[in-house]
Amino acid sequence: MKLIIALAQFKPTLNVSENLNKMIKMITQTKENDIVVMPEGCLSGYSHNLEFLNENIALEIEQALKNLQSYTKKHHVHLIFGSCKREGDSWYNAGIYISPNGFKHIYKKVNLAIHERGVLKEGNDLSCFNLEKDEASIKVAIQLCREIRFPEQWKFLSLNGANIIFYLTNIIDTEEHEIWNAHLISRAAENQRYVIASNIAHVEQGCSSMVVSPKGKVIKMLEVDYESLERIQIDLSENSNWYLSQGRKDLLDVIAVGPFNNSRQ
């Protein structure tokens, strides 16, 4: 199956309304059935100092999510993006999927960064979800930022049927740029799955916004400090279980020990 990924990157602020307007503007540049991918924290804004998260912003985010649902329906696109999100008394770093028919899946970051701990609550559900497109059901998953350092999570998701892993990040660190890009290529090649990565646009970008094939080939890489959206075609027939099926499970296996649901609709 061939799909069009509309890979986007921009410079979020700590103003929800400004970020929402940028997201809507980019959605208007897409075409029907595109899968639009945007960075970690791009709706709420994101910072190493998370004190900006408060009651007012929580309400703004919820209203913005409703607006995004309207625009994905109007333009008939699939939208994957990141945002801090409050549920009850807890804040999470979330990867969010909104479908053209309004279905929403929320992935809550499992491995929090050190500065997030104590402010954000970690997720406990390492799950895939179904992206319904043209009468086909495509199982996919989301990973966030430092989770690139935990390859067992990616293998687990791939073993449980993820065809694409969407990687959303908000990292600024030029010294880590080549390392994090190498991680992305490895995650794609070792699992033989497409990896779609979106980072914020920044002159000191610490990881590229790019599409990596199941063979570890970089199909497209966006310019570092340029707000842009590129439409890229991928072919899921390139996915394979060749390496995953050869693992010595009598010696080592990757299993879930916590709450888990591998397909949520």
Side-chain angles (χ1 to χ4, degrees):
M1 174 180 286
K2 294 182 180 180
L3 306 171
I4 297 295
I5 303 296
L7 181 61
Q9 67 175 23
F10 65 93
K11 299 176 182 178
T13 68
L14 297 183
N15 184 301
V16 175
S17 179
E18 290 179 4
N19 296 335
L20 175 63
N21 288 337
K22 283 191 176 184
M23 294 174 72
I24 290 172
K25 182 178 179 180
M26 287 189 160
I27 290 172
T28 62
Q29 299 173 30
T30 65
K31 296 185 178 181
E32 186 173 323
N33 283 322
D34 281 1
I35 302 172
V36 189
V37 187
M38 298 183 183
E40 176 188 28
C42 68
L43 177 59
S44 59
Y46 185 83
S47 170
H48 274 248
N49 183 343
L50 295 166
E51 292 180 359
F52 73 94
L53 297 174
N54 57 44
E55 173 74 18
N56 290 336
I57 287 179
L59 295 175
E60 289 177 23
I61 291 169
E62 291 306 313
Q63 183 57 54
L65 287 172
K66 292 178 182 178
N67 290 340
L68 287 172
Q69 283 182 300
S70 296
Y71 275 91
T72 54
K73 181 178 181 179
K74 178 180 179 180
H75 293 274
H76 199 81
V77 296
H78 301 263
L79 179 63
I80 295 171
F81 64 99
S83 180
C84 294
K85 188 178 188 302
R86 193 183 67 177
E87 292 187 5
D89 295 328
S90 300
W91 280 93
Y92 296 89
N93 187 343
I96 301 171
Y97 164 65
I98 301 177
S99 76
N101 63 12
F103 165 74
K104 186 165 60 179
H105 174 87
I106 299 175
Y107 168 71
K108 298 167 184 174
K109 191 175 182 180
V110 170
N111 263 298
L112 295 177
I114 299 301
H115 70 273
E116 294 176 326
R117 299 177 188 185
V119 180
L120 305 181
K121 186 175 181 179
E122 72 277 3
N124 289 308
D125 189 7
L126 192 62
S127 58
C128 303
F129 61 95
N130 291 328
L131 191 155
E132 308 290 343
K133 188 176 183 300
D134 299 331
E135 300 183 357
S137 184
I138 306 163
K139 190 174 285 188
V140 301
I142 297 172
Q143 289 286 272
L144 295 170
C145 204
R146 80 189 301 264
E147 293 182 314
I148 194 68
R149 300 281 197 178
F150 298 87
E152 69 277 8
Q153 294 183 192
W154 299 63
K155 184 175 183 180
F156 178 77
L157 292 167
S158 299
L159 286 168
N160 280 279
N163 290 282
I164 307 170
I165 299 180
F166 296 98
Y167 175 68
L168 317 180
T169 189
N170 196 308
I171 180 173
I172 302 169
D173 186 348
T174 52
E175 291 185 3
E176 296 283 351
H177 189 265
E178 290 186 6
I179 297 170
W180 283 54
N181 281 8
H183 283 330
L184 284 173
I185 292 169
S186 293
R187 296 299 87 81
E190 67 200 13
N191 294 301
Q192 295 183 282
R193 296 293 188 272
Y194 275 98
V195 169
I196 314 297
S198 177
N199 192 9
I200 62 171
H202 197 283
V203 68
E204 297 181 4
Q205 192 179 70
C207 178
S208 295
S209 296
M210 61 183 179
V211 175
V212 188
S213 81
K215 295 181 179 179
K217 179 181 178 181
V218 177
I219 298 173
K220 182 67 180 182
M221 182 182 295
L222 303 188
E223 290 185 36
V224 171
D225 192 28
Y226 184 66
E227 295 191 342
S228 61
L229 181 142
E230 295 275 352
R231 300 179 69 250
I232 305 113
Q233 180 174 275
I234 65 173
D235 187 350
L236 294 186
S237 68
E238 294 185 15
N239 282 355
S240 175
N241 290 324
W242 175 250
Y243 290 113
L244 291 176
S245 65
Q246 296 176 48
R248 286 281 305 276
K249 291 189 177 182
D250 58 320
L251 294 176
L252 179 67
D253 202 358
V254 179
I255 60 172
V257 295
F260 173 68
N261 179 356
N262 75 340
S263 179
R264 183 174 291 172
Q265 295 187 40

